[in-house]
Amino acid sequence: MVGFKPTDMPPTATVKFLGAGTAACITDLITFPLDTAKVRLQIQGESQGAVRASSATAQYRGVLGTILTMMKTEVPGSLYNWLVAGLQRQMSFASVRIGLYDSVKQLYTNGSEYAGIGSSLLAGCTTGALAVAIAQPTDVVKVRFQAQARAGGSRRYQGTLDVCKTIAREEGLRGLWKDDLPCHFTSAFGAGFCTTIIAVDLVKTRYMNSASGQYASGGHCALTMLRKEGPQAFYKGFMPSFLRLGSWNVVMFVTYEQLKRALVAARTSREAPF
């Protein structure tokens, strides 16, 4: 920003917390259609097996094909259906995972400016685990909404509260934290292309969207996919997933830095004497 140096006044933990959540929401407004397309491709063929899922009857084909099919067969704006659930997830998840990272890192380094790789990894794991513990229900709600098509038949869920009530009634409160530790840990250390390659996101989507008792764990979900749909099943939604990861990170961190600068500048102008 013109006339402002970030080093003049470092952003507070509150500025980072609010800035990260707001930046993540702005990013979701831009990339949400890719995320929705990714989820639809990932769950396609789940109950059909490899033969039917790869046949000419597949409803969705590729990033553009999925987006065009949804625009053609569903209500206008279907790519942004249940955006509120996505924003709720980002506001709670990114605020903790990204906004509190520096503060937690300083705790591990006793306030020192220098942080080694060990302290950085420990801080990342801490904020990542804390974010998952707090925001996991919002992620489950988002995936359930994105997975349901709205063309023709009845919808599985009618709103955010309906999702929470239905999951709590049919699967218990633990259903809102549907995932397991290995999946959390792998997701925390994986990023970008590598995360997409090892298909952690796909298994997570299938597992979160499954009915009660369908899978015993994330590992069981992965083995079931391999047995019924073959190795190629793990790469469903690969391109929209990779495109979203790349674009999301670019928009997120550019927006986050600018928001931090703007918030610090606003605070400085309020405290400066006339």
Side-chain angles (χ1 to χ4, degrees):
M1 295 178 67
V2 179
F4 174 70
K5 296 179 179 179
T7 55
D8 289 347
M9 180 182 290
T12 63
T14 301
V15 167
K16 293 177 182 177
F17 185 86
L18 294 176
T22 304
C25 288
I26 292 173
T27 305
D28 244 29
L29 287 171
I30 299 173
T31 64
F32 201 74
L34 286 173
D35 192 42
T36 301
K38 175 205 70 174
V39 171
R40 291 294 182 88
L41 283 167
Q42 286 177 335
I43 65 170
Q44 180 170 246
E46 182 174 12
S47 62
Q48 299 173 335
V51 177
R52 289 186 62 185
S54 61
S55 69
T57 60
Q59 184 179 7
Y60 305 117
R61 290 181 175 276
V63 184
L64 182 60
T66 301
I67 292 175
L68 291 176
T69 297
M70 290 182 62
M71 293 174 63
K72 180 180 179 181
T73 61
E74 301 181 26
V75 297
S78 59
L79 289 166
Y80 279 94
N81 282 341
W82 314 118
L83 174 63
V84 172
L87 297 181
Q88 290 173 343
R89 191 256 182 187
Q90 292 299 350
M91 198 64 198
S92 56
F93 190 82
S95 295
V96 175
R97 182 174 64 89
I98 299 173
L100 296 183
Y101 172 77
D102 288 334
S103 298
V104 173
K105 186 170 64 175
Q106 287 183 351
L107 288 177
Y108 288 128
T109 59
N110 295 319
S112 173
E113 292 295 326
Y114 173 77
I117 185 66
S119 298
S120 298
L121 283 174
L122 192 57
C125 289
T126 300
T127 55
L130 184 61
V132 167
I134 295 173
Q136 184 71 3
T138 61
D139 199 18
V140 174
V141 169
K142 179 184 76 73
V143 169
R144 294 288 180 96
F145 273 145
Q146 288 176 312
Q148 65 177 3
R150 298 185 64 180
S154 60
R155 289 180 292 173
R156 186 179 179 185
Y157 305 108
Q158 303 301 317
T160 304
L161 289 178
D162 183 42
V163 176
C164 295
K165 290 179 181 178
T166 302
I167 292 176
R169 182 176 64 251
E170 298 178 355
E171 306 172 39
L173 290 176
R174 291 182 60 185
L176 289 169
W177 276 268
K178 197 165 192 179
D179 219 334
D180 54 16
L181 184 59
C183 195
H184 290 169
F185 222 73
T186 308
S187 297
F189 281 99
F193 189 79
C194 292
T195 303
T196 311
I197 285 289
I198 60 177
V200 170
D201 189 61
L202 173 59
V203 176
K204 183 195 76 169
T205 298
R206 288 285 186 93
Y207 192 47
M208 285 183 175
N209 189 54
S210 63
S212 178
Q214 184 175 352
Y215 302 116
S217 65
H220 179 231
C221 176
L223 290 175
T224 301
M225 288 170 55
L226 179 63
R227 184 175 66 253
K228 291 186 175 181
E229 303 175 55
Q232 68 273 19
F234 289 96
Y235 296 95
K236 288 181 177 179
F238 174 87
M239 188 54 67
S241 182
F242 179 61
L243 289 175
R244 181 182 181 274
L245 279 170
S247 59
W248 195 94
N249 279 292
V250 170
V251 177
M252 165 65 196
F253 286 102
V254 169
T255 306
Y256 178 42
E257 290 302 320
Q258 294 305 309
L259 281 173
K260 282 195 299 183
R261 288 167 176 257
L263 289 170
V264 171
R267 179 188 172 195
T268 303
S269 64
R270 285 200 310 270
E271 295 179 353
F274 291 102

